[in-house]
Structures are given as structure tokens and as C-alpha cells.
Amino acid sequence: MKQIVALLAAFTIVLSGCGNSNNMKESEAAPKNMGNETRNSPRLEQINSPQKKQVDISKAETNHGKTRIETLGFLEPIEAKQSIKDVQESVNDLTYVAFFSYQVNKDGSLKPIKDYAALQEVKKSKAMPMMVLTNFIDGNFSPEIAHNIFTDKTASKTLIGSVISTMKQKGYKALNIDFEHIKEKDRELYNGFLETIIPQVQKEGFKVSTALAPKTSDEQKGPWHGAHDYKRHGELADFVVLMTYEWGWSGGPPMAVAPVPQVEKVVKYATSVIPPEKIVMGAPLYGYDWTLPYKKGNKFAKRVAPAEAHDLALKEDATVKYDNESQAPFFNYKDDNGKEHVVWFENEQSAEAKNQLVKKYKLRGLAYWVLGEPFPENWTLLRDQFKIVHK
């Protein structure tokens, strides 16, 4: 990967005038929200806030005043050498490395992944390897596979046995169940499946978490939100992971990937039905580069790492601006063909804003999607502000 130069030293952050989108050019403006639109593409293609003075030191605080949190980094182990490198760059700052993903077949068997090399690297560290279980197939999450697992007792039994035997054989220490785009009517069936699998996996000595789509109330419906029962997941799992990113997504209109006001609304709802010590908040390690003007059906935006965005802004002599409303940086540039682009990404300021939410709501920790996207300032900030729990 490229040699990284400190982002803030190179960027000029323009704060004035960005908070009011009415004063921004159309190409720069961030939509207020995305509503409950169903996303055809899953997240695979995914401040200066004043420090509040703490009066009391809670049990979550260390003797040095740093909040103790757990951290989780999702890893896509596609190529062995690259996977090892991705692990090495962040493993010391992680409680769990979550291997995305073991895909469920209709009969309950599992599609294996190339995880051996990266697993060995994680085992050398203080981090715990986590197996991620999904209903992902052929480029998307499958509601049909999920429904079959929930309703076919033989397939469900096969799956649970496959999960436990794979975890034992390969040395996984925790499980994340990430079933998405489930049919809304299958909500109670999903709860029933979790009521069956979670105790059996826990009995074998493994921690179990679930992934939850970002909701602001239990009334949110549709295939993205409806089947995820926050309260019941919180009761059953050791902890949950809020997928608080992808408001700005590759197939949608340009905006911040994880705008802080929207993230906070999800956290507020989550903490109203789940104990905060069981909530891990998602945070993105990436942004997107959209070609303008945006039109629905356009070619999907390119995913960019914060370090890549930094280099691109320097190359194009672009002025990086900071949107005070979403608390995220962005910039505009023209490519070699004269086409306008807008890039929304993450920097130290936006990471700091998200860290403050973890502190404010006393959450269990942070989950990063996805490892392998260079963002050194994030890890430095994380170490400065938190004490990472290692098992």
C-alpha cells in the first residue's frame, strides 16, 4: 500500500458554509436522509466536537481515564498474502477479527472461505478470530435461503452442526450471525432460529453476536429492516453489531457513508431496547467517489479508502470541505475526461465524532467495515482515546 502522509497535515478543512446544504452547490450537497429505500446492492460495495468532562469514573474506565471497549474488524480473506497484510496492519487494535463470510447453502451446509493464512496470523495476536455466517449468495443476500433455514428443521440442524464443527476445527472463538434482506414476514421465524442456534453455540464456549440493520424504531418495515428484532436479538446474543453505515452507498445518491445524526438516531433507539454494554456500533473505513450528475441506474460509485481519497485530493488540487451537519469530509474534482466527481470519505474529524457517540452512550465498542482500507489516523485516534479489550 501507499506510504501514508498524515491526512490533516495535508488537507485544508473548510468548515464555513458547509453545514447548510442550501448554500452548497447541487453537486456538493448531501441528501437529508435515505428513507427506508430497499438497497439492491449490499454493503460489500460499503469536528472538533467538544470533549465532555467526566465527573464520575465508571467501571468501564481504566485507571488512566481511557474507556475500555471491544473492537471488531471485518475481513474479506480473498487472497492469502493480502489478507495477512490486512490483519497485520490493525490486529493489535482489535478484540475480534471477523472473517466475512461463511455462506449458508439451502441444505444447511457451508461454503468455505480461504481463511487459513489469515487465521494463523490472528492466532499469533491477542485478537480473537470470529466466524461470520451469512445468507449471501451470487452477489446478494438471499431471503429464500434464510427462509429455508428457518423452516426446514433438517437444514437448520445441519447448519448448526456445521457451524460448531467448523469453529472447533479451525479455531474460531466467536460467531457473528449476519442474515440480511430477510422477508419481513419471517421476523418471528428468524427469532426462532436464533433461539435455537445461539444457546447451542454458547454451550460450546463461544461468544455469539448478531448483525442488525440500522433502525430508528421497531416500526421500520421492509426487507432491509423489518425482520430484525432489536429487543429480541439483545436478549439472546452476547452482543449485537449495528450496521451504521451505507447511508451513502455505491448505487445511491452522493452523501456521507455514515452521517453522525443518522447514526445517533439508530444508537438512541438501540439503547432504548438493548443494554448499551451489549451494543457495538459500526463505523466505515471507506468512502465513495461518485461521477456527477448522479442519476439512478448510473454506474456504481467507486469505493475509496481514506488514504486514497487523501492522495486523490492532493493530485487534483481539490479543496476538502467538512459538512458540519453530517460530520464528514468531501471534495469535488474533474477527471481527465472533464467529468465532475464528488468524493465523500472519512477522516480524523469524522472518526472522532463517531468515537464520541461510543462514549456518550457508553457502548460496548466499535465494529469496522472493512479491513484493508488504509486509514492510519483512525487507529491512532482509537489508541489515544480507548483501552482495547483483549481476550
Side-chain angles (χ1 to χ4, degrees):
M1 296 183 184
K2 301 176 182 177
Q3 185 70 28
I4 308 302
V5 181
L7 236 122
L8 293 180
F11 280 174
T12 301
I13 305 297
V14 179
L15 296 172
S16 60
C18 294
N20 184 352
S21 60
N22 294 328
N23 294 332
M24 297 163 63
K25 295 179 182 178
E26 183 179 356
S27 62
E28 298 171 348
K32 296 291 183 184
N33 57 64
M34 284 194 65
N36 295 332
E37 178 184 355
T38 300
R39 300 163 194 177
N40 294 323
S41 174
R43 55 188 161 72
L44 286 184
E45 224 3 321
Q46 308 184 337
I47 43 205
N48 296 336
S49 296
Q51 295 278 346
K52 289 191 176 180
K53 196 172 183 180
Q54 290 187 326
V55 179
D56 299 318
I57 302 298
S58 70
K59 292 180 181 179
E61 300 293 319
T62 69
N63 293 331
H64 303 290
K66 289 185 179 181
T67 305
R68 288 173 56 86
I69 64 168
E70 293 186 0
T71 54
L72 186 157
F74 286 98
L75 174 73
E76 295 179 283
I78 298 171
E79 194 277 322
K81 288 185 179 179
Q82 185 61 51
S83 296
I84 291 172
K85 187 175 182 182
D86 293 343
V87 168
Q88 291 173 338
E89 289 177 347
S90 56
V91 71
N92 292 330
D93 298 312
L94 297 172
T95 309
Y96 300 96
V97 176
F99 286 70
F100 191 93
S101 70
Y102 276 80
Q103 299 172 13
V104 179
N105 295 315
K106 190 176 180 180
D107 63 357
S109 60
L110 294 174
K111 183 178 179 180
I113 57 176
K114 299 177 182 179
D115 54 2
Y116 178 80
L119 261 174
Q120 302 315 304
E121 196 64 33
V122 174
K123 289 175 183 178
K124 297 176 187 176
S125 72
K126 296 179 181 178
M128 299 173 65
M130 173 182 281
M131 176 180 176
V132 181
L133 187 68
T134 69
N135 59 321
F136 195 78
I137 188 171
D138 296 332
N140 215 328
F141 291 90
S142 169
E144 289 76 22
I145 284 181
H147 179 80
N148 195 73
I149 294 299
F150 302 159
T151 56
D152 186 328
K153 290 185 178 180
T154 300
S156 179
K157 184 176 180 180
T158 298
L159 175 58
I160 294 170
S162 298
V163 167
I164 292 174
S165 63
T166 299
M167 293 182 73
K168 288 182 175 180
Q169 177 187 349
K170 294 204 170 186
Y172 282 104
K173 301 298 182 183
L175 175 69
N176 177 260
I177 302 171
D178 182 11
F179 277 28
E180 302 182 32
H181 290 190
I182 304 168
K183 297 175 182 178
E184 187 179 324
K185 66 180 182 180
D186 284 353
R187 172 178 165 129
E188 290 307 319
L189 289 174
Y190 186 27
N191 285 346
F193 170 69
L194 294 178
E195 289 165 2
T196 302
I197 187 173
I198 289 177
Q200 293 188 48
V201 177
Q202 289 173 328
K203 186 178 178 181
E204 299 296 332
F206 304 123
K207 292 284 186 183
V208 183
S209 62
T210 63
L212 291 170
K215 296 176 69 167
T216 56
S217 77
D218 195 46
E219 282 66 49
Q220 265 182 282
K221 305 301 182 182
W224 185 251
H225 306 91
H228 283 183
D229 184 340
Y230 270 44
K231 187 174 186 296
R232 192 66 183 126
H233 283 235
E235 292 168 346
L236 293 167
D238 292 294
F239 61 92
V240 301
V241 176
L242 305 181
M243 295 183 285
T244 37
Y245 31 71
E246 289 288 274
W247 276 269
W249 66 290
S250 58
M255 66 180 295
V257 170
V260 169
Q262 282 92 322
V263 172
E264 184 166 16
K265 287 178 183 178
V266 175
V267 172
K268 278 184 178 179
Y269 167 60
T271 54
S272 73
V273 292
I274 303 172
E277 63 270 18
K278 296 184 79 171
I279 298 172
V280 175
M281 187 186 83
L285 298 179
Y286 64 96
Y288 288 114
D289 179 342
W290 283 270
T291 302
L292 300 175
Y294 168 79
K295 290 182 181 179
K296 190 173 182 179
N298 276 5
K299 183 179 178 181
F300 277 19
K302 177 186 175 184
R303 191 169 80 186
V304 293
E308 291 176 299
H310 159 264
D311 290 345
L312 180 60
L314 287 178
K315 174 179 176 290
E316 301 296 338
D317 196 25
T319 299
V320 177
K321 301 181 181 181
Y322 192 81
D323 179 40
N324 290 329
E325 183 178 356
S326 62
Q327 297 196 49
F330 68 99
F331 63 89
N332 292 77
Y333 75 95
K334 280 187 179 181
D335 64 24
D336 293 339
N337 296 319
K339 290 187 176 181
E340 291 276 355
H341 289 247
V342 62
V343 179
W344 284 89
F345 63 110
E346 298 292 320
N347 68 358
E348 189 172 19
Q349 282 181 290
S350 62
E352 164 67 9
K354 295 172 183 63
N355 288 354
Q356 291 303 317
L357 290 180
V358 174
K359 293 180 180 181
K360 178 179 179 180
Y361 291 92
K362 303 185 186 302
L363 304 181
R364 186 185 189 98
L366 285 158
Y368 294 105
W369 182 271
V370 55
L371 301 184
E373 304 286 351
F375 189 7
E377 293 82 7
N378 176 75
W379 305 109
T380 300
L381 189 67
L382 183 71
R383 289 190 296 271
D384 287 346
Q385 295 191 340
F386 298 106
K387 175 69 175 178
I388 309 304
V389 173
H390 294 292
K391 302 298 182 181

